[in-house]
Every structure is written in structure tokens, then in C-alpha cells.
């Protein structure tokens, strides 16, 4: 019997070893009020908080910190395998849509062989010179005296030039070369506009924007929006115009070299006429209704623009209503004239007048 009691006691002791130890509360609540004693409350208030329990902390923010939502992020075209400009060629790796004027056009792969920033800088400079030349070339042929021209054509490498014009061209090219030398290695990141570009392009590279001379006297740079999207959009517009101008000035030179006639001769762009305004008005009206689908998608479609179908129906209804009003007005006018003819014979009056005049002269 004693041995059985010993076994039972030993089993109970070993089981209690695996039971959780009772939690000792430092604060004893009163059964009547369910409130802690004042001394315990004071001790709990005065006890310092553990530093690891702090939730809010102040972190220093750098002065040049820019949120991703406020700058250009690289990789806009990373999901496109083909070039936008040439859909049957692969997209060049460097042309990912981060820079203005990027449509993936680089069939020779120069963006991967040469310095990308230097090529962008060169394109911007050529674009700006071409835009000036595209205006100056025809204006010189329209306004300059004949002794400054070559048989009515602007002086050029292909057209030739008289000594005075050649000296002027050489002087201009020398000034442009000196400007190129002095500004090719300029540091633009410290200028006000350069700092803005550094923030806009900080996630892409550290070189800012090509063609930045910190020059905007009319404050037009923010005309499309005073943020990174508006500034990139305006740079895109500048490059688009510059590329068209480079093609245009090349066409001017070769046309005059091949034909020997000035570009302004018999050209509707430079002489008053009604055809060119009508063409512009027709193109503008067409773009309000239709648009060309993406060139990188097959098949290339011509489809309605935004609200284009509604605008077309509005025009059709307007024409229909106008024709109906004119027809109704003409019918009413015809009815009135018929009533007058029945009373006074106005339809036969002109012939009677002619016969009366003829009767006054026997040789009619």
C-alpha cells in the first residue's frame, strides 16, 4: 500500500514539471472596485518605456531627394520587343523611352556603339540650326537683293556663292565652331535649369538633359506643364520640329541643285493662294474625325478618333438640316414667284422687254 502511494506521488510530481508556471501578478485588483492600488498605478506610470517599443521615428531626408512619382523612370518601352518607328526591327536596348524624342529609330545601332549623350547633344544642335535655316533659306530668296543670291537661289555648298556671301558663311561657321568648342564640355548641373533636369532625370542617369544651356527668356519651358511630364513633352516637340526641319533643309538644297530654280518659285507655301489654306483646313477636319492606328500593330488601321464618330454624325446632320432648310426656302420662294407670275406675268416680262427693244430698231 505504501509502495502504491509512493508511485502515485512520483507520477504527480513528474507531471507538474510539464505544466506552465503560474503567472505572478504584481498588481492585485480589489474585488470590490476592480481598481489597482494607488501605489501600483504610480509605479506603472513612472516606469520608463522600453526603447524597443517606440513606433514613430524621425529619419533625415536628403535635400535632393525626389519621389519616383515626380521624375522620369527608366524602362518605358521595356515590354516592347520591336521598335516603334521600324516595327520589323528589334528595339535598341538604349532606347527605352526615357528620353524625349525616343521612338526606337536606330537601324544602324549607333546608340549602342557611340556615346549616347554626345549623340543627343549633336541632334539637338543640328535640329536648332535646321529650324533656323528652314526659315532663313526661303526668306533670303524672297527678300534678299539679287546680287547676294546665285541666280535667284540661296548661296550654299551645292549652289555656290559669291565672295561676299562665302565670306559671311565662313564667318558664321567659325563662330558656330567657337561656340561648340566653348560649350561642348559645359557643366550644366549647377544652373537653375540644370538642377531641375537633374531631379527629372535622376533615376535615368546623372547627365541631365542634352541641349541644356539654361536659356529660356520667355519662360516657355513650363507652357506644357511645370513638371517632368510637361518639360519632357516640350523637348519632344522641339526634337520633332527639328527633325522635320533637317529633312526640309536637305530637300531645299538638293531640289535647287538638281533643278536650278529657287525653292520659293511656283511654290504654294510662299505665294498667296487659296489651295494651301483649303488643304490645311481639310487635314484639320480629317484629324478631328479619324486617326491612324499604331504603326507597330498589324494591320495598320484608320479608325475614328476620340468622339470622331459623334462629330461625323453631327456634321452629317448639320448638312442634312441645312440642305432641308434651303430646299424648303426655295420651295416657298418658287411658290411666291408663281403667284406673282399668275397675277403679273413676271416670267414673260424679260422676253417682252427684249422684244420691245428689238422692235425699236429695224436692223435687229
Amino acid at each position: 500500500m505504501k509502495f502504491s502511494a509512493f508511485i502515485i506521488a512520483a507520477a504527480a510530481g513528474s507531471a507538474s514539471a510539464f505544466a506552465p508556471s503560474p503567472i505572478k501578478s504584481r498588481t492585485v485588483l480589489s474585488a470590490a472596485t476592480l481598481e489597482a492600488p494607488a501605489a501600483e498605478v504610480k509605479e506603472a506610470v513612472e516606469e520608463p518605456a522600453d526603447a524597443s517599443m517606440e513606433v514613430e521615428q524621425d529619419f533625415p531626408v536628403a535635400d535632393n531627394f525626389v519621389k519616383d512619382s515626380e521624375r522620369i523612370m527608366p524602362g518605358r518601352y521595356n515590354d516592347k520587343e520591336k521598335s516603334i518607328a521600324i516595327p520589323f526591327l528589334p528595339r535598341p536596348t538604349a532606347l527605352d523611352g526615357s528620353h524625349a524624342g525616343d521612338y526606337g529609330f536606330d537601324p544602324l545601332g549607333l546608340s549602342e556603339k557611340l556615346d549616347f549623350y554626345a549623340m543627343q547633344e549633336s541632334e539637338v544642335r543640328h535640329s536648332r540650326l535646321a529650324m533656323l535655316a528652314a526659315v532663313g533659306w526661303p526668306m533670303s530668296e524672297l527678300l534678299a537683293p539679287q546680287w547676294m543670291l546665285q541666280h535667284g537661289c540661296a548661296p550654299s555648298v551645292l549652289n555656290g556663292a559669291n565672295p561676299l556671301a562665302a565670306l559671311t558663311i565662313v564667318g558664321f561657321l567659325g563662330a558656330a565652331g567657337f561656340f561648340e568648342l566653348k560649350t561642348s564640355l559645359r557643366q550644366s548641373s549647377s544652373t537653375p535649369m540644370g538642377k531641375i533636369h537633374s531631379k527629372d532625370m535622376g533615376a535615368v542617369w546623372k547627365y541631365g538633359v542634352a541641349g541644356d544651356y539654361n536659356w529660356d527668356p520667355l519662360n516657355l519651358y513650363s507652357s506644357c506643364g511645370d513638371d517632368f511630364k510637361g518639360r519632357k513633352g516640350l523637348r519632344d516637340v522641339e526634337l520633332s520640329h527639328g527633325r522635320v526641319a533637317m529633312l526640309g533643309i536637305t530637300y531645299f538644297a538638293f531640289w535647287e541643285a538638281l533643278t536650278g530654280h529657287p525653292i520659293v518659285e511656283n511654290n504654294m507655301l510662299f505665294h498667296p493662294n487659296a489651295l494651301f489654306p483649303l488643304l490645311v483646313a481639310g487635314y484639320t477636319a480629317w484629324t478631328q474625325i479619324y486617326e491612324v492606328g499604331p504603326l507597330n500593330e498589324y494591320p495598320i488601321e484608320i479608325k475614328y478618333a476620340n468622339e470622331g464618330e459623334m462629330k461625323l454624325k453631327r456634321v452629317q446632320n448639320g448638312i442634312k438640316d441645312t440642305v432641308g432648310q434651303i430646299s424648303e426656302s426655295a420651295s416657298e420662294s418658287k411658290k411666291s414667284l408663281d403667284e406673282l407670275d399668275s397675277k403679273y406675268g413676271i416670267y414673260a416680262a424679260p422676253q417682252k422687254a427684249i422684244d420691245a427693244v428689238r422692235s425699236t430698231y429695224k436692223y435687229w
Side-chain angles (χ1 to χ4, degrees):
M1 187 69 179
K2 292 182 180 180
F3 181 75
S4 300
F6 175 76
I7 292 299
I8 292 172
S14 61
S16 64
F18 294 95
S21 58
I23 299 174
K24 296 181 180 180
S25 175
R26 291 171 50 192
T27 304
V28 181
L29 299 178
S30 172
T33 61
L34 294 179
E35 293 181 356
E40 295 294 337
V41 173
K42 182 177 180 181
E43 180 181 354
V45 173
E46 293 179 355
E47 184 177 359
D50 188 2
S52 63
M53 298 298 292
E54 293 182 1
V55 178
E56 297 183 357
Q57 296 184 10
D58 294 331
F59 295 96
V61 179
D63 295 335
N64 58 351
F65 174 76
V66 183
K67 295 187 292 185
D68 290 344
S69 60
E70 298 179 355
R71 61 181 178 176
I72 298 172
M73 299 303 296
R76 178 184 176 188
Y77 296 150
N78 282 348
D79 58 336
K80 298 183 182 296
E81 297 181 357
K82 300 295 184 180
S83 167
I84 295 177
I86 311 177
F88 55 85
L89 290 182
R91 177 182 63 83
T93 305
L95 304 182
D96 62 349
S98 303
H99 302 276
D102 180 3
Y103 296 98
F105 182 81
D106 186 18
L108 301 181
L110 299 179
S111 61
E112 300 176 1
K113 301 176 183 178
L114 304 176
D115 185 85
F116 195 26
Y117 180 86
M119 287 192 295
Q120 285 187 340
E121 183 80 14
S122 177
E123 182 184 28
V124 171
R125 294 191 180 202
H126 283 78
S127 296
R128 291 169 179 171
L129 286 174
M131 285 188 283
L132 292 174
V135 176
W137 188 297
M139 291 299 292
S140 65
E141 295 179 348
L142 290 172
L143 303 177
Q146 288 298 316
W147 59 269
M148 294 184 64
L149 304 176
Q150 291 296 110
H151 306 290
C153 299
S156 67
V157 175
L158 298 179
N159 291 339
N162 58 49
L164 180 59
L167 183 63
T168 304
I169 293 174
V170 170
F172 174 80
L173 293 178
F178 181 77
F179 177 78
E180 178 94 9
L181 177 64
K182 290 297 183 180
T183 60
S184 59
L185 301 177
R186 69 190 184 281
Q187 179 62 259
S188 61
S189 60
S190 59
T191 63
M193 196 173 291
K195 293 178 181 178
I196 294 175
H197 289 154
S198 296
K199 292 181 179 180
D200 290 350
M201 303 294 293
V204 179
W205 62 6
K206 62 181 179 179
Y207 305 112
V209 171
D212 176 14
Y213 291 93
N214 194 42
W215 192 77
D216 185 23
L218 299 180
N219 196 26
L220 298 177
Y221 199 26
S222 59
S223 58
C224 292
D226 194 12
D227 56 3
F228 72 96
K229 295 180 182 178
R231 288 186 284 269
K232 182 182 178 183
L234 200 63
R235 295 197 300 272
D236 199 2
V237 171
E238 180 188 27
L239 281 174
S240 299
H241 284 75
R243 290 165 180 172
V244 172
M246 286 189 284
L247 293 174
I249 200 67
T250 304
Y251 164 72
F252 290 175
F254 278 100
W255 173 265
E256 293 190 355
L258 292 174
T259 64
H261 294 279
I263 194 66
V264 299
E265 185 178 87
N266 298 326
N267 193 317
M268 64 178 180
L269 296 177
F270 304 106
H271 298 281
N273 61 91
L275 178 59
F276 183 67
L278 288 176
L279 291 175
V280 173
Y283 175 76
T284 304
W286 190 88
T287 55
Q288 292 296 315
I289 300 174
Y290 299 103
E291 66 180 3
V292 180
L295 300 179
N296 60 338
E297 295 181 3
Y298 177 82
I300 300 175
E301 298 178 338
I302 296 177
K303 55 186 179 179
Y304 286 114
N306 186 25
E307 300 181 354
E309 187 174 6
M310 182 185 67
K311 293 177 181 178
L312 180 60
K313 290 182 178 179
R314 187 183 302 168
V315 172
Q316 291 174 343
N317 292 333
I319 294 174
K320 184 178 179 180
D321 294 341
T322 302
V323 172
Q325 292 175 2
I326 293 174
S327 300
E328 183 179 356
S329 177
S331 299
E332 293 179 356
S333 300
K334 181 67 167 57
K335 184 178 179 181
S336 300
L337 291 174
D338 290 342
E339 292 178 355
L340 291 174
D341 182 64
S342 63
K343 292 180 180 180
Y344 306 105
I346 61 173
Y347 292 156
Q351 187 62 40
K352 290 180 179 179
I354 293 174
D355 293 340
V357 172
R358 285 178 177 273
S359 64
T360 60
Y361 188 61
K362 63 179 181 179
Y363 297 106
W364 285 104

